Amino acid sequence: MTNQTFPRAFLFLTALTLFCACSEDDTVDEQPATPYTCAVCVDEPEALPANDNQSAGIYKGVFIGSSGTIIFDIANSFTTITAVLQLDGETINLSSTVTWEPGNAYLAPFTGTHNNSPVSITFEVGSDGENPTVVTSDIPGHPGAIFTVVKETSNSLMECYEGTYHTTKPEDGTFNVILSRSEGTWVAIARENGETSSEDPVYGTLVNGTTLVEESGITFATLTGDVLTGSFVDTGERTVTIEGERTL
């Protein structure tokens, strides 16, 4: 009697175990989302040490109208003078015929085409690499574009982030940032959707390599890898939410 009962009980437990195992296998665990990283962004400065204190070198910037980034290569390798404009995810290659001369300021138009229409951006920078500026721009379909450009040096990688903001006004718009982790600084430009004018750039410090604090002391956002997120109350008692990702 005992010898017959044990095998039956064993078979029942075995079948139950297999059923449970199959049921568990049929359930697919949800995996956490992979954090965003900029696949095309560099991790080290592209600027050469010889250009740190002159007009030659690498300059990076963000713009709004609508949204994008730009990188100028002013004879960084002593030959190439080009610019690459990323406009709403599209790449526009620009070049200039104005040569660079050591010890001098640099002013030149950069031209190219987009959707078979001419694009022109005039860039200027002082002889020591100070005050890089987009003087004028003509981008078909994007009037009133505003640029903020900074110089990258051999020991300070400049990172560009494109993002958006939302307020409880309510108001929505573009919020783009350039920052340097090594220098602990950042600058941002913003524009409400549908507008053609912008407020002045906002400046601040990057505390502990993670927290964007504006000059007035307001914490704007937190930097996690290649992602910016934040929420704060502005001077009008409105809550502002920021989201952005590194694109250059």
Side-chain angles (χ1 to χ4, degrees):
M1 183 69 175
T2 304
N3 290 337
Q4 292 178 350
T5 303
F6 176 75
R8 289 178 181 176
F10 177 76
L11 290 174
F12 173 78
L13 291 173
T14 302
L16 181 61
T17 302
L18 290 173
F19 173 78
C20 293
C22 291
S23 298
E24 291 176 357
D25 289 343
D26 290 341
T27 302
V28 178
D29 293 334
E30 292 186 4
Q31 298 297 321
T34 302
Y36 167 84
T37 58
C38 178
V40 298
C41 296
V42 298
D43 297 324
E44 300 292 338
E46 299 173 89
L48 298 179
N51 299 323
D52 283 350
N53 298 302
Q54 58 179 339
S55 54
I58 297 294
Y59 298 84
K60 294 179 180 179
V62 292
F63 74 91
I64 46 181
S66 51
S67 180
T69 64
I70 192 164
I71 177 169
F72 292 95
D73 181 339
I74 311 299
N76 185 55
S77 59
F78 308 106
T79 54
T80 303
I81 298 180
T82 60
V84 178
L85 178 69
Q86 293 288 346
L87 174 62
D88 295 335
E90 296 186 60
T91 301
I92 304 173
N93 294 306
L94 308 171
S95 61
S96 179
T97 58
V98 178
T99 58
W100 172 80
E101 297 181 3
N104 290 345
Y106 188 78
L107 172 63
F110 286 74
T111 58
T113 60
H114 178 54
N115 293 333
N116 298 318
S117 296
V119 174
S120 178
I121 297 176
T122 300
F123 176 75
E124 180 178 24
V125 64
S127 60
D128 54 0
E130 296 292 327
N131 301 317
T133 306
V134 169
V135 181
T136 62
S137 66
D138 184 1
I139 308 171
H142 300 272
I146 300 296
F147 290 77
T148 293
V149 182
V150 296
K151 181 178 178 67
E152 182 173 276
T153 63
S154 60
N155 56 12
S156 180
L157 173 68
M158 292 297 170
E159 303 177 20
C160 298
Y161 291 74
E162 294 182 73
T164 59
Y165 73 87
H166 170 76
T167 80
T168 51
K169 184 180 178 178
E171 179 179 311
D172 294 279
T174 301
F175 185 86
N176 293 346
V177 180
I178 312 172
L179 63 84
S180 168
R181 300 183 196 236
S182 61
E183 293 182 3
T185 59
W186 60 272
V187 56
I189 52 177
R191 176 182 290 176
E192 182 180 359
N193 292 342
E195 296 295 322
T196 57
S197 60
S198 308
E199 300 293 333
D200 292 334
V202 179
Y203 297 86
T205 56
L206 183 63
V207 180
N208 297 325
T210 60
T211 308
L212 279 72
V213 180
E214 194 257 346
E215 288 177 319
S216 67
I218 296 176
T219 297
F220 264 47
T222 298
L223 176 63
T224 305
D226 287 344
V227 177
L228 284 174
T229 56
S231 181
F232 62 93
V233 178
D234 67 10
T235 55
E237 298 301 316
R238 295 165 298 195
T239 300
V240 182
T241 304
I242 296 170
E243 295 181 348
E245 297 178 341
R246 186 183 176 196
T247 55
L248 177 63

